[in-house]
Amino acid sequence: VRVEEFAPFVFLVSVDAPTVRLICVPACLLDPDYRFELAPEEGAAAGLGAGVYSAAASDSLVLAVVTLAKSAPATVNLASPVVVNTQRHVGAQLILPGSTYSHVTPLRFWAAVEEPC
Protein backbone atom coordinates (compact mmCIF):
# COMPACT_ATOMS: atom_id res chain seq x y z
CA VAL A 1 0.00 0.00 0.00
CA ARG A 2 1.34 3.42 -0.96
CA VAL A 3 0.01 6.47 0.89
CA GLU A 4 1.25 9.72 -0.63
CA GLU A 5 1.74 11.59 2.64
CA PHE A 6 4.04 8.80 3.90
CA ALA A 7 6.17 8.58 0.73
CA PRO A 8 8.71 7.17 0.18
CA PHE A 9 7.56 4.59 2.73
CA VAL A 10 5.22 1.80 1.66
CA PHE A 11 3.21 -0.61 3.77
CA LEU A 12 2.92 -4.34 3.32
CA VAL A 13 -0.50 -5.37 4.60
CA SER A 14 -1.52 -8.95 5.31
CA VAL A 15 -4.41 -10.12 3.14
CA ASP A 16 -5.55 -12.56 5.84
CA ALA A 17 -5.09 -10.19 8.81
CA PRO A 18 -5.16 -6.55 7.60
CA THR A 19 -4.11 -5.23 11.01
CA VAL A 20 -0.72 -6.89 10.44
CA ARG A 21 1.44 -4.38 8.57
CA LEU A 22 5.10 -3.75 7.90
CA ILE A 23 6.63 -0.37 7.17
CA CYS A 24 9.07 -0.66 4.26
CA VAL A 25 11.17 1.52 2.04
CA PRO A 26 12.42 0.76 -1.49
CA ALA A 27 16.00 -0.47 -1.17
CA CYS A 28 17.12 1.65 -4.12
CA LEU A 29 16.59 4.76 -1.99
CA LEU A 30 18.91 3.36 0.67
CA ASP A 31 21.63 2.06 -1.61
CA PRO A 32 21.34 2.50 -5.40
CA ASP A 33 23.88 -0.33 -5.87
CA TYR A 34 22.00 -2.82 -3.64
CA ARG A 35 22.00 -6.25 -5.28
CA PHE A 36 22.02 -9.94 -4.39
CA GLU A 37 21.83 -13.32 -6.07
CA LEU A 38 19.04 -15.87 -5.65
CA ALA A 39 19.40 -19.63 -5.97
CA PRO A 40 16.58 -21.41 -7.88
CA GLU A 41 14.70 -22.56 -4.76
CA GLU A 42 14.94 -19.30 -2.80
CA GLY A 43 12.31 -17.26 -4.60
CA ALA A 44 10.20 -19.97 -6.20
CA ALA A 45 7.14 -19.39 -3.97
CA ALA A 46 6.94 -15.78 -5.16
CA GLY A 47 7.62 -16.58 -8.80
CA LEU A 48 11.14 -15.21 -8.59
CA GLY A 49 13.68 -16.95 -10.76
CA ALA A 50 17.30 -17.59 -10.00
CA GLY A 51 19.78 -14.85 -10.77
CA VAL A 52 21.03 -11.46 -9.71
CA TYR A 53 18.46 -9.00 -8.37
CA SER A 54 19.08 -5.29 -8.27
CA ALA A 55 17.17 -2.68 -6.28
CA ALA A 56 16.99 -0.62 -9.47
CA ALA A 57 15.36 -3.38 -11.57
CA SER A 58 11.91 -2.70 -13.02
CA ASP A 59 10.49 -6.24 -12.94
CA SER A 60 10.63 -6.59 -9.16
CA LEU A 61 10.30 -4.31 -6.16
CA VAL A 62 12.98 -4.75 -3.51
CA LEU A 63 11.95 -3.44 -0.10
CA ALA A 64 13.72 -3.12 3.24
CA VAL A 65 11.64 -3.55 6.40
CA VAL A 66 11.88 -0.58 8.77
CA THR A 67 12.24 -0.98 12.53
CA LEU A 68 11.10 1.91 14.71
CA ALA A 69 12.20 1.77 18.33
CA LYS A 70 11.13 4.19 21.05
CA SER A 71 14.64 4.77 22.37
CA ALA A 72 16.86 4.22 19.31
CA PRO A 73 17.22 5.56 15.79
CA ALA A 74 15.21 3.86 13.02
CA THR A 75 16.93 1.01 11.18
CA VAL A 76 16.26 -1.06 8.08
CA ASN A 77 16.86 -4.73 7.39
CA LEU A 78 18.99 -5.03 4.25
CA ALA A 79 20.06 -8.60 5.15
CA SER A 80 16.51 -9.90 4.59
CA PRO A 81 14.83 -7.91 1.81
CA VAL A 82 11.23 -8.35 0.73
CA VAL A 83 11.13 -8.95 -3.01
CA VAL A 84 7.81 -8.42 -4.77
CA ASN A 85 7.12 -9.85 -8.21
CA THR A 86 5.40 -6.82 -9.77
CA GLN A 87 3.76 -8.97 -12.47
CA ARG A 88 2.07 -11.44 -10.10
CA HIS A 89 1.74 -9.13 -7.06
CA VAL A 90 3.26 -11.70 -4.72
CA GLY A 91 6.44 -11.51 -2.76
CA ALA A 92 8.71 -13.16 -0.26
CA GLN A 93 11.08 -12.06 2.44
CA LEU A 94 14.46 -13.56 1.74
CA ILE A 95 17.35 -14.29 4.07
CA LEU A 96 20.62 -13.60 2.28
CA PRO A 97 23.16 -16.07 3.69
CA GLY A 98 26.67 -14.67 3.91
CA SER A 99 25.42 -11.17 3.10
CA THR A 100 27.57 -8.16 3.89
CA TYR A 101 24.36 -6.22 4.54
CA SER A 102 23.05 -5.79 8.08
CA HIS A 103 19.62 -6.29 9.62
CA VAL A 104 20.17 -3.09 11.65
CA THR A 105 21.33 -0.61 9.01
CA PRO A 106 20.70 2.99 10.10
CA LEU A 107 17.84 4.51 8.12
CA ARG A 108 19.20 7.26 5.91
CA PHE A 109 18.60 7.92 2.26
CA TRP A 110 21.42 8.20 -0.24
CA ALA A 111 19.78 10.88 -2.33
CA ALA A 112 16.43 12.58 -2.74
CA VAL A 113 14.61 11.30 -5.78
CA GLU A 114 11.60 12.73 -7.46
CA GLU A 115 9.88 9.39 -7.98
CA PRO A 116 10.30 6.33 -5.77
CA CYS A 117 11.70 3.26 -7.47
Side-chain angles (χ1 to χ4, degrees), residues 45-72:
L48 302 170
V52 175
Y53 282 77
S54 166
S58 61
D59 59 344
S60 60
L61 178 60
V62 180
L63 300 171
V65 177
V66 177
T67 299
L68 301 172
K70 288 183 181 182
S71 60

Side-chain angles (χ1 to χ4, degrees), residues 23-48:
I23 301 170
C24 300
V25 66
C28 64
L29 297 178
L30 305 168
D31 181 355
D33 298 322
Y34 183 80
R35 62 183 47 236
F36 55 89
E37 188 167 356
L38 278 185
E41 66 280 357
E42 292 176 314
L48 302 170

Side-chain angles (χ1 to χ4, degrees), residues 1 6-13 21-27 29-30 61-67 75-77 80-82 84 93 107 109:
V1 175
F6 294 113
F9 298 99
V10 296
F11 303 90
L12 292 182
V13 181
R21 300 171 184 208
L22 295 174
I23 301 170
C24 300
V25 66
L29 297 178
L30 305 168
L61 178 60
V62 180
L63 300 171
V65 177
V66 177
T67 299
T75 61
V76 292
N77 184 348
S80 298
V82 174
V84 179
Q93 185 170 23
L107 176 61
F109 298 107

